[in-house]
Amino acid sequence: MPAADSIQASPRPAAASAAPAPAEEWGAASVAAPREPFAPEEVCLWYEAPMTAAERAAFTTRPPEWERGIVGSAKAVTAGTDPQVMGIIVGVLVMLALNARHIRRLFHALPQDLWSLRRRANVFDERTANETRSNFLLIAQLCVFSAVMFLLWLAPHGNTVGFGLIGHGASLSSVVGWLTAATAGYYIFQLSAVGTIGYAFADPQRNSQWRRGLNASSVLLAQLITLPMLVALFYPALTQAMLWTCAGAYVATRLVFVAKGFRIFYRGPVSLVYFLLYLGAIEVLPPAALIKVARAICRGEIVGFTVF
């Protein structure tokens, strides 16, 4: 039929007859080739890609390193970097500085209170309410600084990262506060025990001298551990040496206090038995109990948070 022949002889549309250039003919010919039918302009066809699939497999597809960055490690939280702990320490030092004039007078009488057994006081000895306030501030210094040293001892290098302290909602200042309360309780126990023993076995004047010896030895200990405590805070590598220094200062001051008590209560061989009982009940067991309580505080066994 003529109509059918005319249809079959009609040429195919140009868009349908267009075929992509083979791979070996890439170049100007492929750029000039028309796009396939219905292909969006934003889609890259295979013959328009800058590389073949085999070439693309040879390259990594992960994002560049500058987009990922470097995973940082947590900063170590120590007593020397905690602002609240440093605020407590600075506050104690400021209170001492504001009362320096009265504390200086107290230091003048320190050697006599530490060792002397004279029954007659010196003419120029000054016993006023200012001395009580100065004693209180110096004992508070001892309790706070001892608490900091306990923390540095029980947490290696004072580092609480990984010990659960922050994760349990506690802070270093709260730990220092509980340790300060423990050391203050230990001092109150010592003062009560010394007063009770002095009341039972000595006259009132000797009892007063022995109590003054306890206060004087505690005040001296507070001064001896101040510098090692500051060194341990700001130079963690020296913490172990500073801990041994503080332990040596504690032993030295306690030996002076025990020696004064021995001079007061020694009456003969029989009194040695009471003296040995005193050493075990006052000088050995209470410090061991204080260490156990401090360790329990840091482990969260008492106040509900954990350092280790």
Side-chain angles (χ1 to χ4, degrees):
M1 296 175 62
D5 293 340
S6 62
I7 293 175
Q8 292 178 355
S10 63
R12 297 173 60 188
S17 62
E24 60 271 9
E25 296 180 2
W26 281 7
S30 62
V31 173
R35 295 181 61 84
E36 294 183 0
F38 312 109
E41 292 293 335
E42 64 271 10
V43 174
C44 179
L45 304 178
W46 67 269
Y47 57 85
E48 297 175 333
M51 64 184 67
T52 64
E55 292 174 338
R56 187 170 61 252
F59 294 88
T60 58
T61 57
R62 65 181 183 181
E65 291 297 329
W66 60 267
E67 291 185 357
R68 298 174 57 190
I70 300 175
V71 179
S73 58
K75 181 181 178 181
V77 181
T78 65
T81 58
D82 187 88
Q84 295 177 345
V85 174
M86 293 305 301
I88 294 173
I89 295 173
V90 172
V92 172
L93 295 177
V94 168
M95 293 299 297
L96 294 175
L98 293 177
N99 293 269
R101 183 167 59 90
H102 304 300
I103 292 175
R104 192 181 305 114
R105 292 179 181 176
L106 181 65
F107 283 159
H108 289 320
L110 190 64
Q112 179 182 353
D113 291 341
L114 195 62
W115 187 253
S116 177
L117 294 180
R118 289 183 56 182
R119 288 187 173 272
R120 187 175 178 182
N122 293 328
V123 177
F124 298 102
D125 284 349
E126 203 174 334
R127 307 294 183 183
T128 63
N130 292 327
E131 178 186 0
T132 303
R133 182 176 63 185
S134 300
N135 267 320
F136 175 80
L137 290 175
L138 292 170
I139 297 302
Q141 175 192 5
L142 173 64
C143 294
V144 173
F145 291 178
S146 298
V148 173
M149 294 307 296
F150 270 123
L151 178 64
L152 295 176
W153 175 36
L154 296 175
H157 305 293
N159 183 3
T160 58
V161 173
F163 298 125
L165 180 102
I166 299 177
H168 285 73
S171 61
L172 278 175
S173 59
S174 62
V175 178
V176 172
W178 282 104
L179 292 175
T180 301
T183 53
Y186 172 65
Y187 172 77
I188 293 173
F189 167 80
Q190 280 187 314
L191 194 61
S192 303
V194 166
T196 303
I197 295 173
Y199 177 80
F201 296 98
D203 57 83
Q205 187 172 7
R206 294 300 191 194
N207 186 13
S208 177
Q209 288 177 340
W210 201 31
R211 290 199 309 271
R212 291 186 180 278
L214 174 64
N215 289 331
S217 62
S218 301
V219 167
L220 179 60
L221 177 61
Q223 310 317 306
L224 292 178
I225 69 173
T226 298
L227 184 59
M229 186 269 301
L230 294 175
V231 172
L233 280 178
F234 299 112
Y235 298 94
L238 301 176
T239 299
Q240 194 68 24
M242 295 302 102
L243 287 173
W244 282 108
T245 302
C246 293
Y250 173 79
V251 172
T253 54
R254 296 309 293 183
L255 286 177
V256 174
F257 173 68
V258 169
K260 183 174 183 178
F262 183 81
R263 294 167 60 204
I264 291 175
F265 295 104
Y266 181 74
R267 296 292 182 271
V270 179
S271 60
L272 290 176
V273 178
Y274 295 101
F275 186 74
L276 292 176
L277 293 175
Y278 154 76
L279 288 179
I282 305 300
E283 302 296 339
V284 176
L285 294 180
L290 175 62
I291 293 174
K292 186 174 181 180
V293 169
R295 191 179 298 275
I297 289 175
C298 291
R299 289 182 175 178
E301 299 172 1
I302 293 181
V303 292
F305 53 79
T306 303
V307 177
F308 294 105

Coordinates of all heavy atoms in Angstrom, one line a residue, residues 25-33:
E25 N 35.5 6.7 22.0 CA 35.3 8.0 21.2 C 35.0 9.2 22.1 O 34.4 10.1 21.7 CB 34.2 7.8 20.2 CG 34.5 6.8 19.1 CD 33.4 6.6 18.1 OE1 32.4 7.4 18.3 OE2 33.5 5.8 17.2
W26 N 35.3 9.0 23.5 CA 35.1 10.1 24.4 C 35.9 11.3 24.0 O 37.0 11.2 23.4 CB 35.4 9.8 25.8 CG 34.3 8.9 26.4 CD1 33.2 8.5 25.8 CD2 34.2 8.5 27.7 NE1 32.4 7.8 26.6 CE2 33.0 7.8 27.9 CE3 35.0 8.7 28.9 CZ2 32.6 7.2 29.1 CZ3 34.6 8.1 30.1 CH2 33.4 7.4 30.1
G27 N 35.5 12.5 24.3 CA 36.2 13.7 23.9 C 35.2 14.7 23.4 O 34.1 14.8 23.9
A28 N 35.6 15.3 22.3 CA 34.7 16.4 21.8 C 33.5 15.8 21.2 O 32.4 16.4 21.3 CB 35.5 17.1 20.6
A29 N 33.5 14.5 20.7 CA 32.3 13.9 20.1 C 31.3 13.6 21.2 O 30.1 13.8 21.0 CB 32.7 12.6 19.4
S30 N 31.8 13.1 22.4 CA 30.8 12.8 23.5 C 30.2 14.1 24.1 O 29.1 14.1 24.5 CB 31.5 12.0 24.6 OG 32.6 12.8 25.1
V31 N 31.0 15.1 24.1 CA 30.5 16.4 24.6 C 29.4 16.9 23.7 O 28.4 17.5 24.2 CB 31.6 17.4 24.8 CG1 31.1 18.8 25.2 CG2 32.6 16.9 25.9
A32 N 29.6 16.8 22.4 CA 28.7 17.3 21.4 C 27.5 16.5 21.2 O 26.5 16.9 20.6 CB 29.4 17.6 20.1
A33 N 27.5 15.2 21.7 CA 26.4 14.3 21.5 C 25.2 14.7 22.3 O 25.3 15.2 23.4 CB 26.8 12.9 21.9

